[in-house]
């Protein structure tokens, strides 16, 4: 019985049939099938058939992922739209939304990121992320961009106090070289970026923006 199954598997494989397709017809484990077919050499026709099958599988997988992403995006944006009017009662919501729209990341990777050098604005946006967006503390990442003139030993500690985020959640500091020989603004401590890798939040914020446009009767 096993010999007949093995011969059938070998014959199917030589025709360019994939392992998954063979397993649908022959009820053995994948490890057993691999052992049976380890010495099978495929001709050009069989190789082309396998390659075409893999390309189709990748295409359908990518198309499925694309459709799911569209659906998830539409759902999250709709949730944001529905939330808008109830959140509008909170002044912090509107202030943070407008600031994020102006200074926030519009990256195609759907990453939530807000960058600024004004410590008060960073403090306000941290309050917005915590109270309006309900971002868990462990999800915050802080990225600092500084000129070599501004890199002080305690710069992480400085921004940690401003943001309330542990220094362990800071990314590697990006240091930009400058031709200047002295600091023009002694109070400048580079730029601070608040980063939250959350696609669902990014999409909700998009919904809030659409709600804001609709509120002021502006076409999106």
């Amino acid at each position: 019985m096993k010999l007949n199954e093995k011969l059938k598997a070998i014959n199917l494989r030589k025709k360019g049939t994939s392992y998954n397709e063979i397993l649908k017809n022959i009820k053995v484990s994948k490890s057993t099938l691999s052992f049976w077919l380890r010495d099978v050499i495929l001709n050009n026709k069989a190789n082309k058939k396998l390659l075409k099958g893999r390309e189709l599988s990748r295409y359908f997988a990518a198309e499925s992922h694309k459709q799911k992403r569209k659906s998830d995006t539409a759902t999250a944006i709709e949730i944001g739209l529905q939330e808008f009017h109830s959140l509008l009662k909170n002044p912090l919501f509107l202030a943070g939304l407008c600031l994020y729209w102006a200074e926030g990341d519009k990256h195609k990777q759907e990453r939530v990121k807000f960058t600024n050098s004004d410590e008060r604005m960073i403090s306000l946006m941290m309050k917005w992320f915590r109270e309006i967006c309900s971002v868990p503390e462990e999800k915050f990442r802080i990225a600092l961009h500084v000129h070599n003139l501004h890199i002080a030993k305690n710069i992480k500690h400085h921004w940690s106090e401003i943001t309330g985020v542990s220094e362990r959640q800071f990314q590697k500091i990006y240091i930009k070289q400058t031709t200047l020989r002295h600091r023009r603004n002694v109070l400048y401590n580079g730029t601070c970026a608040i980063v939250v890798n959350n696609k669902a939040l990014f999409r909700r914020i998009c919904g809030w923006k659409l709600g804001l446009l609709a509120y002021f009767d502006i076409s999106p």
Side-chain angles (χ1 to χ4, degrees):
M1 182 68 176
K2 286 288 185 183
L3 178 59
N4 289 336
E5 291 178 336
K6 179 180 179 180
L7 292 174
K8 183 179 178 182
I10 291 172
N11 185 48
L12 287 169
R13 187 61 175 172
K14 285 182 176 180
K15 292 179 180 178
T17 308
S18 70
Y19 275 40
N20 288 335
E21 288 298 318
I22 294 173
L23 288 171
K24 289 178 181 178
N25 293 281
I26 300 173
K27 304 304 179 183
V28 295
S29 67
K30 195 167 185 177
S31 60
T32 297
L33 186 64
S34 298
F35 178 74
W36 287 352
L37 304 180
R38 69 189 189 283
D39 296 324
V40 174
I41 298 174
L42 302 179
N43 58 31
N44 288 337
K45 184 178 179 180
N47 271 320
K48 287 180 180 178
K49 181 180 177 182
L50 276 175
L51 181 60
K52 185 177 180 180
R54 288 170 186 158
E55 288 175 346
L56 284 172
S57 295
R58 284 194 291 268
Y59 168 79
F60 286 121
E63 188 64 24
S64 175
H65 178 76
K66 179 181 176 182
Q67 294 304 320
K68 184 178 184 304
R69 179 180 174 277
K70 283 184 176 180
S71 176
D72 290 347
T73 299
T75 299
I77 289 175
E78 182 60 31
I79 289 172
L81 272 168
Q82 292 175 4
E83 292 175 329
F84 177 80
H85 285 285
S86 60
L87 289 170
L88 192 58
K89 300 172 185 177
N90 188 336
L92 177 61
F93 167 70
L94 188 58
L97 179 59
C98 290
L99 284 175
Y100 187 86
W101 198 343
E103 300 291 340
D105 202 350
K106 288 84 177 176
H107 205 276
K108 291 181 179 180
Q109 292 181 351
E110 299 183 309
R111 173 187 58 189
V112 177
K113 182 179 179 182
F114 180 87
T115 306
N116 210 273
S117 61
D118 190 313
E119 297 168 0
R120 296 162 300 178
M121 194 176 293
I122 291 295
S123 294
L124 178 61
M125 289 306 294
M126 286 300 302
K127 188 176 181 67
W128 187 72
F129 281 124
R130 287 182 172 117
E131 297 183 16
I132 302 298
C133 303
S134 301
V135 176
E137 290 300 319
E138 67 274 12
K139 294 296 183 180
F140 286 113
R141 294 294 180 270
I142 301 297
L144 302 180
H145 285 223
V146 298
H147 288 292
N148 58 329
L149 288 175
H150 308 138
I151 183 64
K153 290 182 179 179
N154 63 346
I155 195 164
K156 273 190 179 181
H157 179 71
H158 171 78
W159 284 108
S160 178
E161 288 193 327
I162 297 297
T163 60
V165 176
S166 168
E167 291 183 39
R168 294 190 299 272
Q169 293 168 235
F170 277 56
Q171 298 174 355
K172 184 178 179 181
I173 298 175
Y174 175 79
I175 302 173
K176 185 176 181 180
Q177 299 301 314
T178 179
T179 56
L180 298 177
R181 295 186 179 181
H182 58 83
R183 296 177 64 160
R184 290 181 175 176
N185 181 355
V186 294
L187 298 177
Y188 182 70
N189 286 297
T191 60
C192 175
I194 307 165
V195 182
V196 181
N197 290 306
N198 187 321
K199 291 182 178 181
L201 176 58
F202 182 93
R203 294 163 182 170
R204 277 178 66 205
I205 293 172
C206 290
W208 294 345
K209 292 177 186 176
L210 290 176
L212 186 63
L213 287 172
Y215 183 78
F216 289 106
D217 196 24
I218 299 173
S219 299

